[in-house]
Amino acid sequence: MLARILLLVALLLSPVAMHAEGTTAEQNGFASRLTIYLAKGAPDACGPGCDRWIAIEGQIDQEAAPRIRRFLAGVKDTQRPIYFHSPGGNVDQSYAIGRLLRSRKAIARVGRTIVTACATGTQVDAACLKLKNASGEVEAELTTYHAMCNSACGFLFIGATSREVAPDAALAVHNSRLILQFHGNPPPAVVAEARRRPIASGQRDRTAFIAAMGISRELDDLIGTVKYESLHVLTRAELYRFGIDTRPLAETTWKLEKEARPFVRKYAVMKKENDPSFRMMEWRLSCENRKRVPLTFAGEIDEAVTGKSTIQIAADAEADKQIGGSALRSGKYEIWRDSIDPDMIKTLLASRALHVRQTMLMPDNKTDTTKFDIDLTGLASAWTQLKSSCALSALNPISPWPATVPNVGTAPPAAPSP
């Protein structure tokens, strides 16, 4: 976690020493030392045409910056994206790494790298860490679900020039903590000065770094309001407003969910027109029967709006073939569902984007139309997995939804580590 623990061993006016806080990272599924390695996945694993990336994960330790610098010096492809999954750690090291990433014009994303050869259920045992720390690429999968870049990791992240936080990942911040330990019985004025100077210096360093990275001062102000014992997960509106992730539409990849009745799912969040807020959406393709495949869409709506909504969908491989209809309202969501034929499935799998047109008929008979595209990259691979899973599963009722996107709200996706 973002920890600037200043341990002052004061024999009256002895000098101040700076230390990173002791960690329980391993207890929370993180290595106690920042790890960096090259990973290779399936086609389009890290985006269209991308199957190789750099993984940076674990606790940011006191020797992390020189180690990361040496590693990146040997990676000539500066366009290879870097995926972060870290609870935080040493602040000064995070500033140094952030500046290094800025000099490389790095591409940063929040995501977990799952190394295929590691034992099931762990990515931080000795054998897995040895594999990650060896030279060369490792075969792996990527997921943004429950991935996090918390505390000091955020300073690494904003150092990059291109930054993406998926709708189901989290970037979380909090204030630093100061611990003072004195030997002897120094005067109150000495204690007060020992406290004031490092706090003020730390705040100045943080303010200067955030400003140098071109991020809004609002982020610095927010960090100052969040207690060290807490974490604030940045909302999509904050990510956008602070200049961290300025995409008006952010999406996850298509992912197979192996439940009683399997399905493939994608989350997306889209900025409302002329409005600072974002709308969450979810798309699902479910197990097919012999002739039809259920396709479902759910999206957040303004409960105060009483108009009726219709949705029209076409894929770019055959734009004149459209499906759609009226959406049903359910609380804060609208839900549209249809069963599509095998030809439409083939069209989806041959396409790069789904063109969506949503029309709201208002009570005064005026219409409000929104158009957007949903990326279909990776759907073909997920669809193949779905068909295999469906063949092995009973067609039980599908799980309740719309699901809650993990980082919507203020709770972090996993217990923070110090």
Side-chain angles (χ1 to χ4, degrees):
M1 293 173 72
L2 188 160
R4 173 167 287 184
I5 307 304
L6 299 174
L7 178 59
L8 180 63
V9 182
L11 298 174
L12 292 181
L13 292 176
S14 61
V16 175
M18 187 178 299
H19 298 270
E21 185 180 6
T23 177
T24 58
E26 290 161 322
Q27 299 174 14
N28 291 300
F30 292 97
S32 59
R33 189 168 177 264
L34 198 65
T35 303
I36 182 170
Y37 56 97
L38 301 176
K40 181 182 184 302
D44 300 327
C46 45
C50 176
D51 63 355
R52 286 174 165 82
W53 66 94
I54 299 169
I56 295 183
E57 59 194 30
Q59 185 89 1
I60 304 169
D61 57 278
Q62 295 185 20
E63 289 82 34
R67 188 166 63 253
I68 300 300
R69 184 180 297 276
R70 287 193 299 271
F71 185 96
L72 291 178
V75 181
K76 303 306 180 185
D77 181 8
T78 59
Q79 294 304 298
R80 184 178 292 206
I82 302 174
Y83 282 82
F84 293 93
H85 184 51
S86 169
N90 185 286
V91 176
D92 290 330
Q93 294 293 301
S94 71
Y95 292 157
I97 298 170
R99 294 187 181 97
L100 170 62
L101 297 180
R102 178 55 55 96
S103 70
R104 286 178 62 89
K105 298 182 179 179
I107 300 169
R109 299 168 186 164
V110 180
R112 291 188 294 141
T113 300
I114 312 298
V115 175
T116 307
C118 291
T120 302
T122 179
Q123 291 285 312
V124 294
D125 62 15
C128 188
L129 291 177
K130 182 178 180 180
L131 181 63
K132 292 177 179 180
N133 287 316
S135 59
E137 294 178 333
V138 296
E139 294 288 335
E141 297 179 2
L142 260 178
T143 180
T144 54
Y145 184 71
H146 277 180
M148 67 178 75
C149 182
N150 290 353
S151 192
C153 176
F155 299 134
L156 276 65
F157 191 77
I158 65 174
T161 54
S162 174
R163 301 173 292 268
E164 296 182 4
V165 183
D168 57 351
L171 188 69
V173 299
H174 67 167
N175 210 340
S176 54
R177 180 172 68 170
L178 179 69
I179 295 177
L180 295 176
Q181 295 179 347
F182 292 91
H183 288 248
N185 188 26
V190 173
V191 174
E193 183 65 12
R195 182 181 299 276
R196 184 190 66 80
R197 286 189 176 184
I199 289 178
S201 176
Q203 290 175 340
R204 286 194 300 270
D205 289 347
R206 185 184 71 211
T207 299
F209 179 81
I210 291 174
M213 297 301 109
I215 303 300
S216 170
R217 174 63 185 266
E218 288 183 271
L219 174 62
D220 187 41
D221 294 339
L222 174 62
I223 291 173
T225 67
V226 182
K227 292 182 179 180
Y228 171 82
E229 295 78 12
S230 302
L231 275 175
H232 173 76
V233 178
L234 296 179
T235 66
R236 181 56 51 174
E238 288 170 337
L239 291 169
Y240 186 88
R241 189 172 74 249
F242 297 166
I244 297 172
D245 184 345
T246 57
R247 294 174 296 163
L249 176 65
E251 307 170 58
T252 66
T253 58
W254 292 92
K255 183 177 181 292
L256 174 67
E257 302 293 347
K258 298 179 180 179
E259 300 193 8
R261 186 180 180 186
F263 58 93
V264 293
R265 168 165 60 195
K266 171 192 275 285
Y267 290 122
V269 287
M270 184 174 67
K271 186 178 180 299
K272 297 178 181 178
E273 189 174 358
N274 302 320
D275 192 307
S277 62
F278 280 73
R279 176 194 188 202
M280 188 272 283
M281 297 177 284
E282 183 182 349
W283 299 81
R284 285 189 184 185
L285 273 171
S286 306
C287 281
E288 62 180 316
N289 60 30
R290 292 180 180 178
K291 296 182 179 180
R292 310 291 290 185
V293 179
L295 172 63
T296 315
F297 160 78
E300 286 182 308
I301 56 173
D302 186 346
E303 294 181 78
V305 176
T306 58
K308 295 181 179 180
S309 175
T310 59
I311 185 170
Q312 289 180 305
I313 299 172
D316 56 16
E318 200 169 345
D320 59 345
K321 181 184 290 187
Q322 294 189 349
I323 56 175
S326 299
L328 300 176
R329 298 173 68 101
S330 177
K332 63 180 291 188
Y333 295 97
E334 59 178 357
I335 300 174
W336 169 84
R337 183 179 288 111
D338 195 4
S339 293
I340 58 179
D341 60 36
D343 286 342
M344 188 63 186
I345 285 291
K346 292 178 182 178
T347 300
L348 293 179
L349 299 182
S351 301
R352 280 291 185 179
L354 196 66
H355 306 307
V356 183
R357 177 188 177 96
Q358 197 162 17
T359 302
M360 178 73 72
L361 179 62
M362 310 303 287
D364 58 3
N365 289 325
K366 292 182 179 180
T367 58
D368 181 25
T369 300
T370 302
K371 297 179 182 180
F372 56 93
D373 290 347
I374 293 295
D375 189 9
L376 294 176
T377 302
L379 177 59
S381 175
W383 175 251
T384 300
Q385 297 174 47
L386 176 64
K387 289 198 297 182
S388 298
S389 299
C390 289
L392 300 174
S393 302
L395 292 181
N396 296 320
I398 200 165
S399 61
W401 78 300
T404 301
V405 178
N407 74 344
V408 172
T410 58
S417 113

